[in-house]
């Protein structure tokens, strides 16, 4: 499976960058995007990834995997049209974002028989990567050799509460680091801590808890553009209180009526 990289008018005069480093130091990346009824957002998310990769030059083209949780809209069709491989939920499969992420990673292991991707990017579908995302990630990964990292975030809506949330999210902690920020994880660490748990939501909280016991979680230099839709009706304070309560109770989000496919923003 090989992506045909799209040309982007945003590139302008920016030329592809090739770093002077051993080839085995460059992360071989696979992107896993959990999706459930996201026909409007899936294409822009994938297209931004493909445009960003055009700025780097090496032989390891990223694999983009959309793991669908049983969408009833055109999410699957549009993901394929945008150039992603789609892993669909079958009858009897566990539902929720955690299981969707698991199936996405499992599909990579079957692609080619050997380990084709040693680094995983877990990205929510309502996140858009900047044009320099892969270039900046590659430079940071080679210099620091982290096992796991998260991105900064910039919400697409305005508001003092959102700006405060963005600022707090630049610090790594159990209260401020989420899957919404994009998680870049070495395949080695992913397997060591057992991957994502079987949770409808808040699978990222448990995953990060396990990771903290093993290594440092790095703040990465890239900033994602993130939809604020999960705050639109409930507000920042109400939503954050709900999440904190779920964490305390250890519900994994089951009590919040999370979507069956596991993607709730």
């Amino acid at each position: 499976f090989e992506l045909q990289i799209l040309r982007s008018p945003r590139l302008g005069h920016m030329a592809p960058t090739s770093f002077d480093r051993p080839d085995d130091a460059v992360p071989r990346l696979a992107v896993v995007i959990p999706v459930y009824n996201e026909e409007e957002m899936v294409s822009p998310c994938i297209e931004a990834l493909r445009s960003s990769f055009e700025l780097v030059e090496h032989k390891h083209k990223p694999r983009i995997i959309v793991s669908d949780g049983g969408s009833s809209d055109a999410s699957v069709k549009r993901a394929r049209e945008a150039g992603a491989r789609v892993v669909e939920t079958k009858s009897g499969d566990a539902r929720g974002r955690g299981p969707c992420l698991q199936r996405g990673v499992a599909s990579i292991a079957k692609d080619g028989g050997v380990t084709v991707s040693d680094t995983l990017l877990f990205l929510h579908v309502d996140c858009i990567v900047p044009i320099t995302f892969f270039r900046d990630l590659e430079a940071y990964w080679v210099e620091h050799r982290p096992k796991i990292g998260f991105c900064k975030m910039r919400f697409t809506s305005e508001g003092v509460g959102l700006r405060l949330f963005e600022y707090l999210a630049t610090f790594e902690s159990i209260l401020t680091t989420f899957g919404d920020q994009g998680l870049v994880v070495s395949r080695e660490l992913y397997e060591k801590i057992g991957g994502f748990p079987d949770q409808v939501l808040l699978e990222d909280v448990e995953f990060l808890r396990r990771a903290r016991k093993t290594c440092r979680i790095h703040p990465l230099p890239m900033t994602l553009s993130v939809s604020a839709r999960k705050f639109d009706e409930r507000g920042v304070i109400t939503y954050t209180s709900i999440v904190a309560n779920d964490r305390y109770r250890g519900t994994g989000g089951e009590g919040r009526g999370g979507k069956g496919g596991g993607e709730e923003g």
Side-chain angles (χ1 to χ4, degrees):
F1 175 70
E2 188 171 277
L3 292 173
Q4 298 298 315
I5 306 300
L6 296 175
R7 302 297 303 181
S8 171
R10 293 178 297 164
L11 292 177
H13 67 279
M14 300 177 73
T17 301
S18 179
F19 295 96
D20 183 15
R21 65 175 74 94
D23 193 61
D24 61 2
V26 177
R28 293 174 294 170
L29 193 70
V31 185
V32 180
I33 308 169
V35 165
Y36 181 69
N37 287 341
E38 296 287 3
E39 61 182 7
E40 297 300 324
M41 291 197 166
V42 66
S43 295
C45 179
I46 295 169
E47 289 165 2
L49 288 164
R50 296 173 65 180
S51 295
S52 177
F53 192 72
E54 190 170 332
L55 287 189
V56 295
E57 287 184 342
H58 59 69
K59 65 182 181 181
H60 301 302
K61 294 188 177 182
R63 297 163 185 271
I64 299 180
I65 312 296
V66 167
S67 187
D68 184 72
S71 295
S72 57
D73 64 0
S75 294
V76 169
K77 178 176 181 289
R78 294 188 180 181
R80 289 193 172 119
E81 289 174 347
R85 167 176 293 173
V86 177
V87 177
E88 297 187 64
T89 296
K90 300 177 182 178
S91 177
D93 284 347
R95 298 303 178 100
R97 194 157 57 202
C100 271
L101 292 167
Q102 294 170 5
R103 288 191 288 271
V105 175
S107 74
I108 301 168
K110 299 174 184 177
D111 192 2
V114 297
T115 302
V116 294
S117 300
D118 56 22
T119 308
L120 305 168
L121 166 60
F122 297 103
L123 189 69
H124 287 192
V125 71
D126 56 359
C127 296
I128 300 294
V129 301
I131 193 66
T132 59
F133 182 87
F134 286 116
R135 187 187 67 183
D136 296 341
L137 171 62
E138 189 172 289
Y140 186 92
W141 212 258
V142 169
E143 180 179 355
H144 299 280
R145 298 296 185 96
K147 295 294 184 182
I148 181 172
F150 65 95
C151 302
K152 301 173 186 177
M153 61 198 309
R154 177 74 179 182
F155 289 111
T156 54
S157 301
E158 296 299 323
V160 175
L162 295 176
R163 299 291 85 84
L164 176 60
F165 196 96
E166 293 168 355
Y167 171 73
L168 294 175
T170 62
F171 301 98
E172 201 294 299
S173 78
I174 189 174
L175 297 176
T176 58
T177 308
F178 303 90
D180 306 67
Q181 296 163 258
L183 299 178
V184 186
V185 186
S186 73
R187 186 69 176 267
E188 177 186 9
L189 177 65
Y190 178 86
E191 294 176 352
K192 182 177 181 178
I193 64 178
F196 284 97
D198 294 324
Q199 294 179 195
V200 175
L201 295 173
L202 298 185
E203 77 297 327
D204 51 345
V205 175
E206 174 60 19
F207 183 81
L208 289 167
R209 185 188 69 82
R210 297 176 189 172
R212 289 187 186 96
K213 293 182 177 181
T214 303
C215 61
R216 175 195 173 199
I217 300 177
H218 288 238
L220 301 173
M222 304 85 73
T223 300
L224 303 179
S225 176
V226 181
S227 169
R229 57 182 177 167
K230 65 186 176 185
F231 298 122
D232 288 345
E233 294 182 359
R234 292 168 287 192
V236 175
I237 295 176
T238 301
Y239 179 84
T240 304
S241 299
I242 292 172
V243 172
N245 182 59
D246 282 344
R247 286 186 178 190
Y248 175 77
R249 294 166 53 198
T251 63
E254 292 90 336
R256 291 196 286 137
K259 296 182 179 180
E263 184 57 53
E264 195 183 64

